[in-house]
Amino acid sequence: MRAASVNRRRILGLWLPRLSTDRFERQSLSPSSASPAEAARPLRVVAAKRDNALVVVACDARASRGGVMPGMPLATARAMHPALDVIDHDPFADAVLLNAVADWCDRFTPLVALDGADGLLLDITGCAHLFGDEARLLTTLTAALTRQGFAVSAAIAGTAVAARALTRGGSGLIVAPGEEARAVAPLPVAALGVDDAIVRGLRRAGLKSVGEVLARQPSELAARFGEGFVAVLRQATGEDDAPISPRKPAPDYVVDKNFPEPVATLEVILPTLLALARLLIAAMERSGKGARQLTASFFRSDGAVRSISVETGQPVTRVEVVQRLFAEKLDALNDPLDPGFGFDLIRLAASVSVAVTEAQRGFDTTAHQAEDVALLADTLAARLGAKRVVRYLPQDTHIPERAALAVPVQHCPPEPGDAPWPARADEPPLRPLRLLQPPEPIEVLAGVPDGPPAQFTWRRVLHRVARAEGPERIAIEWWRAAEPGLTRDYFRIEDEAGARFWLYRDGLYGSEVMPEVGGSGQPRWYMHGLFA
């Protein structure tokens, strides 16, 4: 195969070979600051069951120097070191930690993808100059992760496959565009991340390195190992490429502020958010855009990341609105921002932006009412949560519990719904404003099976009926229901104390509900609402 660079993309591969053991090491001392007690601690490995046998999944640095390696049977490792400290593998905890590292890597680029269970891929195209150059970016990233207690291997290349393979071959490698084939040639085939069966097949054929495989004709390799393997080789040499799949979509607009010394107080954080909001609004204004979703991210000096988001019903184009929404959000947090040793980077991003059309305003004093209501809804949603501030939209149905649909007010369409609200009448309402969801079963004593109740028991309280109106018969909507339902007969009931209720009998006596011998087979009754 002949190498030819097809693009100018730059991918930074990141490999955390001891992620499982580093998770425990970081809870105590840093690996670089060993103490006598640390030196006396038994060698630590993480094991999991594979093919009905316990296998070493990861090992710490001391165990690695003692000859233990991932993939080794646990029995062999214990024979070498009887006092081995064995920990059960917890892939979920490892995934949580890897995602936390990926969140921290967002400070370098918004395009971060997971690479297996212990690696990351960062698309740093066009980002390296913000940190000096690629070498400085690589040094900054690896040094920071090392201080946080991780064993790190990183490399930069023009494709994701090449970058991933180079991290397995050594740390700190930076491959110039078009030099991928030369760089990956001495690496073992397993570094490409292909299936173990392919690696074993190539090893049996005497092909152990990528360079030896590249010396064969692609048609021979495709016939034996499939076109997918040939595609991986082309990506490893830079002849072809496949985009990475970032964990999060890149924000439309983003601004951030680095601090030479970490900050920890709201007296610094809020003014910083205000300054970032000015920059963000100015950038969006030049493009005629407004933000519908804003995210503030706080990067702690120890690697943790805290993020808060606010959504808006109308595009935000004013700085004071951004400040007000985030101030409400910060005040309402049940778990306040924990600065730890301080934040060294604060970022404000417009995750969702839309085009804004300026409207011509007259002298009508009510012209801004819709904007004021939208701002009030956004403020309440920031404090209480978007799902707790809702608007009810009328629906084209006669089933009571489906007559209105609760929609978060920030996501309400401009149309009122499937049907208009019924006109208000001067007479007392036929249906209550408050419905029980779901309707609650009650015990009813009626004079005749299909008549109104004479008394009923609801929530262990007996109510004697003084007046009754009905029935109002509502049949099931058979064209919408997945399963056939029963017809309801609703009654408006007033008890001897003057309380008014709305209850119904579920099923028609004698047709939908048949009487049985012994007095069973009676329709069921439910309490559905209360009148004011």
Side-chain angles (χ1 to χ4, degrees), residues 105-288:
C105 288
D106 284 343
R107 64 170 56 217
F108 300 102
T109 172
L111 303 178
V112 181
L114 299 178
D115 180 27
D118 56 3
L120 299 172
L121 295 171
L122 286 65
D123 190 336
I124 60 170
T125 307
C127 299
H129 70 280
L130 301 175
F131 304 90
D133 54 23
E134 290 184 350
R136 293 182 182 179
L137 188 156
L138 191 66
T139 301
T140 301
L141 187 149
T142 54
L145 288 177
T146 300
R147 287 194 301 270
Q148 295 174 26
F150 292 101
V152 184
S153 178
I156 298 177
T159 66
V161 174
R164 182 191 188 281
L166 291 169
T167 60
R168 273 67 177 173
S171 183
L173 299 175
I174 300 178
V175 180
E179 298 295 325
E180 285 81 9
R182 180 187 58 80
V184 302
L187 300 178
V189 180
L192 299 178
V194 296
D195 190 80
D196 291 340
I198 295 178
V199 176
R200 290 193 297 269
L202 290 171
R203 188 180 293 114
R204 285 195 295 267
L207 306 176
K208 299 180 180 179
S209 69
V210 177
E212 294 172 344
V213 176
L214 293 175
R216 297 301 182 97
Q217 292 296 323
S219 57
E220 299 177 14
L221 298 173
R224 175 65 179 84
F225 301 105
E227 292 290 345
F229 176 62
V230 176
V232 171
L233 288 176
R234 292 177 60 86
Q235 295 169 23
T237 58
E239 296 182 55
D240 202 353
D241 194 14
I244 65 174
S245 300
R247 301 162 54 248
K248 306 174 184 177
D252 297 341
Y253 298 88
V254 60
V255 291
D256 51 43
K257 170 69 174 177
N258 282 285
F259 297 94
E261 293 293 336
V263 298
T265 61
L266 288 178
E267 287 75 10
V268 179
I269 293 174
L270 289 178
T272 301
L273 283 178
L274 180 60
L276 293 177
R278 291 194 183 98
L279 297 175
L280 190 69
I281 293 297
M284 291 190 295
E285 187 177 17
R286 288 192 292 268
S287 303

Side-chain angles (χ1 to χ4, degrees), residues 498-514:
R500 303 182 71 236
F501 307 93
W502 201 47
L503 46 85
Y504 70 89
R505 180 179 57 242
D506 196 24
L508 299 179
Y509 183 80
S511 58
E512 296 178 342
V513 179
M514 301 301 295

